[in-house]
């Protein structure tokens, strides 16, 4: 068999194997049953979006939408700040061109990978048990959970840095701290800020969800409204989340465009 026919035959076998795997996987799926009330619930949610509970937007006497959205925003900001600070030493520890020891570098990469294994909601459940439900557990969950991804992105960026300028500074007698500050930091600072802004966008969405399990934010009144089928309240909360996330994405996109 010539190489061309062998290549075609190999591709054909791979396609057949993939098709068989997909058929086997989908054949094992349970039958999807749609409840009789599903259409009513979906219709009620859309009706709530078009006729929301405007009285919930602001209530001087108690809990309202604006306060909960502000709480969600604060959770995302503080969580991102914690991750942005603590990911720096881990990122440099995992960068092979900064840390000469391969063992230490691999250990740093292992720590970052280990943190990324756990979803934010798992960290939230852990911290709810540790410090109790509320905003503080949400901040800790997002802060610790974001370290892994931010550290991984930052570490990869550090490894791509041109170190020729560090050699020039070392030749002039600069110590390691000054070499790092004047030769490496200016090259990685724009990318680092870009990563932080991107993670902040992700954390805004995560903070909205973590409230559903009691970690503070807008998710808490949302799950309560869903449980009592208060669709007008659900509608105004969803509109608030949509507007907040859209504004954050727009503003952070403008900022990231200037950083690149």
């Amino acid at each position: 068999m010539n190489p061309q026919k062998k290549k075609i035959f190999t591709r054909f076998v791979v396609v057949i194997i993939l098709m068989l795997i997909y058929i086997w996987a989908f054949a094992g799926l349970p039958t999807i049953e749609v409840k009789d009330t599903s259409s009513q619930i979906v219709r009620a949610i859309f009706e709530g979006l078009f006729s929301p509970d405007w009285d919930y937007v602001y209530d001087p006497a108690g809990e309202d939408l604006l306060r909960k959205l502000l709480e969600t925003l604060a959770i995302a900001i503080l969580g991102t700040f914690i991750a942005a600070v603590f990911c720096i030493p881990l990122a440099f520890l995992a960068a092979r061109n900064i840390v000469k020891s391969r063992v230490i570098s691999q250990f740093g990469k292992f720590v970052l990978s280990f943190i990324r294994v756990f979803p934010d909601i798992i960290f939230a459940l852990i911290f709810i048990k540790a410090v109790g439900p509320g905003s503080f557990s949400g901040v800790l969950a997002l802060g610790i959970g974001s370290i892994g991804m931010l550290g991984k992105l930052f570490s990869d960026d550090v490894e791509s840095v041109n170190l020729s300028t560090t050699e020039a500074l070392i030749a002039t007698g600069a110590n390691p701290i000054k070499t790092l500050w004047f030769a490496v930091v200016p090259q990685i600072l724009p990318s680092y800020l870009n990563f932080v802004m991107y993670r902040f966008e992700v954390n805004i969405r995560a903070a909205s969800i973590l409230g559903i399990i009691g970690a503070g934010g807008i998710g808490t009144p949302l799950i309560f409204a869903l449980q009592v089928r208060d669709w007008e309240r659900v509608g105004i909360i969803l509109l608030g989340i949509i507007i907040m996330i859209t504004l954050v994405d727009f503003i952070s996109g403008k900022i990231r465009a200037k950083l690149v």
Side-chain angles (χ1 to χ4, degrees):
M1 184 181 293
N2 61 51
Q4 184 66 24
K5 290 184 177 180
K6 185 177 180 181
K7 188 175 181 180
I8 295 173
F9 177 76
T10 303
R11 290 181 178 177
F12 177 77
V13 172
V14 170
V15 171
I16 294 298
I17 292 174
L18 288 175
M19 289 178 62
L20 291 175
I21 292 174
Y22 274 105
I23 293 172
W24 171 77
F26 283 102
L29 288 175
T31 305
I32 300 175
E33 297 181 359
V34 180
K35 295 183 178 180
D36 298 335
T37 58
S38 298
S39 60
Q40 298 176 5
I41 293 175
V42 172
R43 185 170 61 253
I45 292 175
F46 276 100
E47 289 176 356
L49 284 172
F50 289 103
S51 59
D53 181 9
W54 295 108
D55 293 334
Y56 184 67
V57 174
Y58 178 69
D59 182 7
E63 178 185 284
D64 55 40
L65 178 66
L66 293 179
R67 286 189 178 91
K68 283 301 179 180
L69 289 178
L70 184 61
E71 181 183 336
T72 303
L73 188 63
I75 292 172
I77 291 174
L78 291 174
T80 305
F81 177 78
I82 291 173
V85 172
F86 287 98
C87 79
I88 295 175
L90 288 174
F92 279 106
L93 189 70
R96 295 178 181 176
N97 58 340
I98 301 297
V99 178
K100 302 304 179 183
S101 173
R102 184 176 180 85
V103 175
I104 296 177
S105 175
Q106 289 298 325
F107 173 75
K109 291 183 182 297
F110 169 77
V111 172
L112 294 174
S113 298
F114 180 78
I115 295 174
R116 293 201 310 277
V117 167
F118 300 96
D120 294 333
I121 197 166
I122 300 298
F123 281 117
L125 291 171
I126 293 173
F127 285 116
I128 286 173
K129 293 296 183 181
V131 301
S135 303
F136 187 49
S137 59
V139 170
L140 293 177
L142 290 182
I144 302 302
S146 301
I147 289 175
M149 183 56 66
L150 264 182
K152 174 65 168 59
L153 294 172
F154 191 35
S155 174
D156 291 343
D157 191 60
V158 171
E159 289 183 342
S160 64
V161 166
N162 182 8
L163 295 179
S164 59
T165 53
T166 63
E167 298 173 357
L169 287 174
I170 293 173
T172 61
N175 59 39
I177 300 298
K178 290 184 178 179
T179 301
L180 188 68
W181 183 258
F182 291 104
V184 177
V185 171
Q187 298 184 60
I188 60 178
L189 186 59
S191 298
Y192 168 73
L193 295 176
N194 190 22
F195 296 149
V196 171
M197 292 301 300
Y198 170 73
R199 188 63 202 185
F200 173 64
E201 295 177 16
V202 176
N203 283 346
I204 282 286
R205 294 165 173 81
S208 302
I209 297 172
L210 293 182
I212 294 176
I213 60 171
I218 194 64
T220 303
L222 176 61
I223 192 64
F224 288 157
L226 287 170
Q227 288 174 348
V228 299
R229 298 177 182 268
D230 188 351
W231 304 119
E232 288 76 14
R233 178 69 56 87
V234 171
I236 193 63
I237 292 175
L238 291 178
L239 284 175
I241 293 173
I242 292 170
I243 293 172
M244 179 183 67
I245 292 178
T246 302
L247 287 175
V248 169
D249 286 350
F250 177 77
I251 295 172
S252 63
K254 291 292 184 181
I255 295 175
R256 286 192 286 114
K258 293 183 179 297
L259 293 175
V260 176

